[in-house]
Structure formats: C-alpha cells, structure tokens
Amino acid sequence: MKKYLLLAATSLLATSALADVTRHALPNNSTFPISRAVEVSPETTLIFHSGTVPGPVNPDAERGSREYYGDTETQALNVFKRMEDSFKELGVGFGDIIKMQVFLVGDPTMDGKMDFAGFMKAYTKYFGTKEQPNKPARSAFQIAGLAGGPNMLIEIEAVIARPN
C-alpha cells in the first residue's frame, strides 16, 4: 500500500511540475512552430534573457563583413548556439522558452527585405521537433539595423520559465 501511495505522490508531483507552463496551440490545427499563447503559474520563475546577437562564423574575414557573420540562417544558427551555451549556465533549455522576440534586419541581398525563410530554417531545428516539441509564443520584426553593424542581421531575446 505504501509503495502505491509513494508512486501516486511522485506522479502527482511530476504532473504539478509540468502544469507550471501551459502552451496553447494555434487554431485550425496549424503546424506553424509557435504557440498562440503560453501561460505560467504564479510559482514559476521567469528569466528574462537579454538579446543575443551572432558571433563571427569566419573570424578571418573582414570584421563586420557578410563573410564574417554569414547569411540570416547562418547567423540564426550561431545565435541559437550562443543561447544554448548561456542556457546551460542558467540550468534551462530551449524547451523552457515561453516567449521569444526576433529582430531581423533587411538583407541587402534581398532588396532590403528580412530573410524570414532563412531564420525559419534555423528556428525549426530547435522548436517543434520530436526531440524538443515545446513552442514559444513568438514575434518577429524587421528592424532598420543592429548596433553590431550593417551585416549583422539578427538578434533574439527570450523569456524563460523555470518551474520551482
């Protein structure tokens, strides 16, 4: 009997921890990899992660050039890797992100339009996958520029929920 009570209590605790974050799917069975909304319980710790920009992918190239940073997809992958390193130090992961804001600079090779498709190629490697199915609420904006220079095309900030 005690074994069953312990098992039930353990199951209840696991359910409680999972219940700290509720992700609401997009309507009409949309497969787009974001949540319509995400809610957290009052007991959840929120971490506001500052914007992350890409580092050089080719440090031998001219500093700040397109070759130095790469295209939007390359920069997004670089940003996600940098975020992953930061998350490890914080004890969280991509599945804990509840809100993401993505700032994309218009790509000069695309007549000044943001490369949303390039960003999404990188994003879908981290969100809505079999390995990491949690999807944040997300916004993406085209902006005029970033402090890093004319060929820096992306910055991502996130709100992370860590159950207590």
Side-chain angles (χ1 to χ4, degrees):
M1 179 74 164
K2 287 181 184 179
K3 182 179 178 181
Y4 294 114
L5 287 175
L6 180 60
L7 187 59
T10 304
S11 177
L12 182 59
L13 287 174
T15 303
S16 175
L18 294 175
D20 287 336
V21 175
T22 303
R23 296 169 193 274
H24 300 277
L26 291 171
N28 303 318
N29 297 318
S30 174
T31 59
F32 195 73
I34 65 171
S35 291
R36 175 173 48 101
V38 179
E39 62 182 284
V40 296
S41 70
E43 298 81 28
T44 303
T45 298
L46 297 179
I47 301 169
F48 297 84
H49 197 280
S50 290
T52 303
V53 295
V57 293
N58 181 359
D60 295 329
E62 180 184 338
R63 185 174 179 83
S65 67
R66 184 163 181 96
E67 294 76 26
Y68 184 78
Y69 288 118
D71 61 11
T72 300
E73 179 183 2
T74 301
Q75 290 187 36
L77 288 169
N78 186 288
V79 167
F80 287 133
K81 175 63 177 129
R82 295 178 90 188
M83 291 175 82
E84 183 175 38
D85 293 343
S86 177
F87 292 174
K88 284 178 186 174
E89 290 180 22
L90 297 170
V92 296
F94 286 102
D96 299 312
I97 295 175
I98 59 169
K99 172 68 174 138
M100 178 183 285
Q101 290 184 304
V102 181
F103 304 95
L104 295 165
V105 175
D107 188 330
T109 67
M110 297 179 66
D111 294 325
K113 295 182 176 115
M114 67 179 181
D115 183 6
F116 187 72
F119 162 71
M120 287 300 293
K121 284 180 187 175
Y123 176 86
T124 55
K125 293 178 181 177
Y126 288 85
F127 298 93
T129 66
K130 184 187 260 188
E131 299 78 28
Q132 199 299 96
N134 293 342
K135 299 177 268 188
R138 192 195 75 204
S139 301
F141 309 92
Q142 179 168 335
I143 60 171
L146 293 165
N151 287 299
M152 187 177 282
L153 303 173
I154 187 168
E155 182 171 348
I156 301 173
E157 62 182 40
V159 179
I160 303 161
R162 179 172 45 212
N164 293 331

PDB file of all heavy atoms in Angstrom, residues 18-32:
ATOM      1  N   LEU A  18       4.865  19.832 -14.411  1.00  0.00           N
ATOM      2  CA  LEU A  18       4.528  20.059 -15.809  1.00  0.00           C
ATOM      3  C   LEU A  18       3.419  21.083 -15.968  1.00  0.00           C
ATOM      4  O   LEU A  18       3.339  21.759 -16.974  1.00  0.00           O
ATOM      5  CB  LEU A  18       4.106  18.743 -16.471  1.00  0.00           C
ATOM      6  CG  LEU A  18       5.192  17.687 -16.602  1.00  0.00           C
ATOM      7  CD1 LEU A  18       4.601  16.396 -17.153  1.00  0.00           C
ATOM      8  CD2 LEU A  18       6.317  18.169 -17.479  1.00  0.00           C
ATOM      9  N   ALA A  19       2.567  21.226 -14.973  1.00  0.00           N
ATOM     10  CA  ALA A  19       1.429  22.128 -15.065  1.00  0.00           C
ATOM     11  C   ALA A  19       1.824  23.588 -14.883  1.00  0.00           C
ATOM     12  O   ALA A  19       1.000  24.468 -15.042  1.00  0.00           O
ATOM     13  CB  ALA A  19       0.377  21.744 -14.032  1.00  0.00           C
ATOM     14  N   ASP A  20       3.085  23.886 -14.550  1.00  0.00           N
ATOM     15  CA  ASP A  20       3.520  25.260 -14.369  1.00  0.00           C
ATOM     16  C   ASP A  20       3.471  26.062 -15.669  1.00  0.00           C
ATOM     17  O   ASP A  20       3.403  27.278 -15.656  1.00  0.00           O
ATOM     18  CB  ASP A  20       4.926  25.311 -13.791  1.00  0.00           C
ATOM     19  CG  ASP A  20       4.964  24.912 -12.328  1.00  0.00           C
ATOM     20  OD1 ASP A  20       3.943  25.029 -11.643  1.00  0.00           O
ATOM     21  OD2 ASP A  20       6.037  24.483 -11.888  1.00  0.00           O
ATOM     22  N   VAL A  21       3.553  25.379 -16.818  1.00  0.00           N
ATOM     23  CA  VAL A  21       3.523  26.032 -18.118  1.00  0.00           C
ATOM     24  C   VAL A  21       2.463  25.351 -18.976  1.00  0.00           C
ATOM     25  O   VAL A  21       2.473  24.140 -19.147  1.00  0.00           O
ATOM     26  CB  VAL A  21       4.900  25.948 -18.821  1.00  0.00           C
ATOM     27  CG1 VAL A  21       4.823  26.533 -20.227  1.00  0.00           C
ATOM     28  CG2 VAL A  21       5.968  26.639 -17.998  1.00  0.00           C
ATOM     29  N   THR A  22       1.554  26.156 -19.510  1.00  0.00           N
ATOM     30  CA  THR A  22       0.536  25.648 -20.430  1.00  0.00           C
ATOM     31  C   THR A  22       0.716  26.360 -21.765  1.00  0.00           C
ATOM     32  O   THR A  22       0.690  27.585 -21.830  1.00  0.00           O
ATOM     33  CB  THR A  22      -0.885  25.898 -19.890  1.00  0.00           C
ATOM     34  OG1 THR A  22      -1.000  25.298 -18.601  1.00  0.00           O
ATOM     35  CG2 THR A  22      -1.932  25.318 -20.828  1.00  0.00           C
ATOM     36  N   ARG A  23       0.894  25.582 -22.816  1.00  0.00           N
ATOM     37  CA  ARG A  23       1.069  26.135 -24.160  1.00  0.00           C
ATOM     38  C   ARG A  23      -0.215  25.914 -24.947  1.00  0.00           C
ATOM     39  O   ARG A  23      -0.704  24.796 -25.034  1.00  0.00           O
ATOM     40  CB  ARG A  23       2.258  25.468 -24.852  1.00  0.00           C
ATOM     41  CG  ARG A  23       3.561  25.758 -24.127  1.00  0.00           C
ATOM     42  CD  ARG A  23       4.718  24.909 -24.629  1.00  0.00           C
ATOM     43  NE  ARG A  23       5.837  24.988 -23.721  1.00  0.00           N
ATOM     44  CZ  ARG A  23       6.781  25.925 -23.741  1.00  0.00           C
ATOM     45  NH1 ARG A  23       6.738  26.855 -24.673  1.00  0.00           N
ATOM     46  NH2 ARG A  23       7.752  25.919 -22.862  1.00  0.00           N
ATOM     47  N   HIS A  24      -0.740  26.986 -25.520  1.00  0.00           N
ATOM     48  CA  HIS A  24      -1.978  26.921 -26.291  1.00  0.00           C
ATOM     49  C   HIS A  24      -1.624  26.906 -27.778  1.00  0.00           C
ATOM     50  O   HIS A  24      -0.967  27.824 -28.277  1.00  0.00           O
ATOM     51  CB  HIS A  24      -2.873  28.116 -25.966  1.00  0.00           C
ATOM     52  CG  HIS A  24      -3.254  28.173 -24.519  1.00  0.00           C
ATOM     53  ND1 HIS A  24      -4.302  27.439 -24.012  1.00  0.00           N
ATOM     54  CD2 HIS A  24      -2.708  28.849 -23.475  1.00  0.00           C
ATOM     55  CE1 HIS A  24      -4.397  27.679 -22.708  1.00  0.00           C
ATOM     56  NE2 HIS A  24      -3.441  28.530 -22.363  1.00  0.00           N
ATOM     57  N   ALA A  25      -2.062  25.881 -28.457  1.00  0.00           N
ATOM     58  CA  ALA A  25      -1.745  25.701 -29.874  1.00  0.00           C
ATOM     59  C   ALA A  25      -2.424  26.757 -30.737  1.00  0.00           C
ATOM     60  O   ALA A  25      -3.433  27.356 -30.346  1.00  0.00           O
ATOM     61  CB  ALA A  25      -2.185  24.310 -30.330  1.00  0.00           C
ATOM     62  N   LEU A  26      -1.870  26.956 -31.908  1.00  0.00           N
ATOM     63  CA  LEU A  26      -2.510  27.829 -32.888  1.00  0.00           C
ATOM     64  C   LEU A  26      -3.828  27.204 -33.325  1.00  0.00           C
ATOM     65  O   LEU A  26      -3.980  25.977 -33.290  1.00  0.00           O
ATOM     66  CB  LEU A  26      -1.597  28.022 -34.105  1.00  0.00           C
ATOM     67  CG  LEU A  26      -0.325  28.830 -33.882  1.00  0.00           C
ATOM     68  CD1 LEU A  26       0.572  28.746 -35.111  1.00  0.00           C
ATOM     69  CD2 LEU A  26      -0.656  30.275 -33.565  1.00  0.00           C
ATOM     70  N   PRO A  27      -4.795  28.019 -33.763  1.00  0.00           N
ATOM     71  CA  PRO A  27      -6.074  27.455 -34.190  1.00  0.00           C
ATOM     72  C   PRO A  27      -5.974  26.670 -35.500  1.00  0.00           C
ATOM     73  O   PRO A  27      -4.974  26.760 -36.212  1.00  0.00           O
ATOM     74  CB  PRO A  27      -6.968  28.690 -34.354  1.00  0.00           C
ATOM     75  CG  PRO A  27      -6.052  29.852 -34.471  1.00  0.00           C
ATOM     76  CD  PRO A  27      -4.759  29.463 -33.813  1.00  0.00           C
ATOM     77  N   ASN A  28      -7.028  25.944 -35.783  1.00  0.00           N
ATOM     78  CA  ASN A  28      -7.187  25.205 -37.049  1.00  0.00           C
ATOM     79  C   ASN A  28      -6.099  24.175 -37.296  1.00  0.00           C
ATOM     80  O   ASN A  28      -5.695  23.962 -38.440  1.00  0.00           O
ATOM     81  CB  ASN A  28      -7.285  26.181 -38.232  1.00  0.00           C
ATOM     82  CG  ASN A  28      -8.403  27.167 -38.062  1.00  0.00           C
ATOM     83  OD1 ASN A  28      -9.498  26.810 -37.631  1.00  0.00           O
ATOM     84  ND2 ASN A  28      -8.138  28.430 -38.363  1.00  0.00           N
ATOM     85  N   ASN A  29      -5.599  23.559 -36.224  1.00  0.00           N
ATOM     86  CA  ASN A  29      -4.565  22.525 -36.340  1.00  0.00           C
ATOM     87  C   ASN A  29      -3.334  22.987 -37.106  1.00  0.00           C
ATOM     88  O   ASN A  29      -2.697  22.215 -37.813  1.00  0.00           O
ATOM     89  CB  ASN A  29      -5.142  21.257 -36.990  1.00  0.00           C
ATOM     90  CG  ASN A  29      -6.228  20.646 -36.148  1.00  0.00           C
ATOM     91  OD1 ASN A  29      -6.108  20.566 -34.931  1.00  0.00           O
ATOM     92  ND2 ASN A  29      -7.313  20.233 -36.786  1.00  0.00           N
ATOM     93  N   SER A  30      -3.006  24.263 -36.982  1.00  0.00           N
ATOM     94  CA  SER A  30      -1.834  24.809 -37.658  1.00  0.00           C
ATOM     95  C   SER A  30      -0.576  24.077 -37.202  1.00  0.00           C
ATOM     96  O   SER A  30      -0.425  23.755 -36.025  1.00  0.00           O
ATOM     97  CB  SER A  30      -1.692  26.297 -37.343  1.00  0.00           C
ATOM     98  OG  SER A  30      -0.483  26.796 -37.889  1.00  0.00           O
ATOM     99  N   THR A  31       0.325  23.833 -38.122  1.00  0.00           N
ATOM    100  CA  THR A  31       1.595  23.184 -37.790  1.00  0.00           C
ATOM    101  C   THR A  31       2.726  24.199 -37.679  1.00  0.00           C
ATOM    102  O   THR A  31       3.873  23.818 -37.477  1.00  0.00           O
ATOM    103  CB  THR A  31       1.963  22.125 -38.847  1.00  0.00           C
ATOM    104  OG1 THR A  31       2.060  22.768 -40.122  1.00  0.00           O
ATOM    105  CG2 THR A  31       0.927  21.014 -38.896  1.00  0.00           C
ATOM    106  N   PHE A  32       2.420  25.490 -37.828  1.00  0.00           N
ATOM    107  CA  PHE A  32       3.453  26.517 -37.698  1.00  0.00           C
ATOM    108  C   PHE A  32       4.042  26.413 -36.295  1.00  0.00           C
ATOM    109  O   PHE A  32       3.298  26.321 -35.314  1.00  0.00           O
ATOM    110  CB  PHE A  32       2.862  27.904 -37.963  1.00  0.00           C
ATOM    111  CG  PHE A  32       3.897  28.950 -38.209  1.00  0.00           C
ATOM    112  CD1 PHE A  32       4.599  28.973 -39.403  1.00  0.00           C
ATOM    113  CD2 PHE A  32       4.194  29.900 -37.247  1.00  0.00           C
ATOM    114  CE1 PHE A  32       5.569  29.931 -39.633  1.00  0.00           C
ATOM    115  CE2 PHE A  32       5.159  30.862 -37.467  1.00  0.00           C
ATOM    116  CZ  PHE A  32       5.846  30.878 -38.662  1.00  0.00           C
TER     117      PHE A  32
END
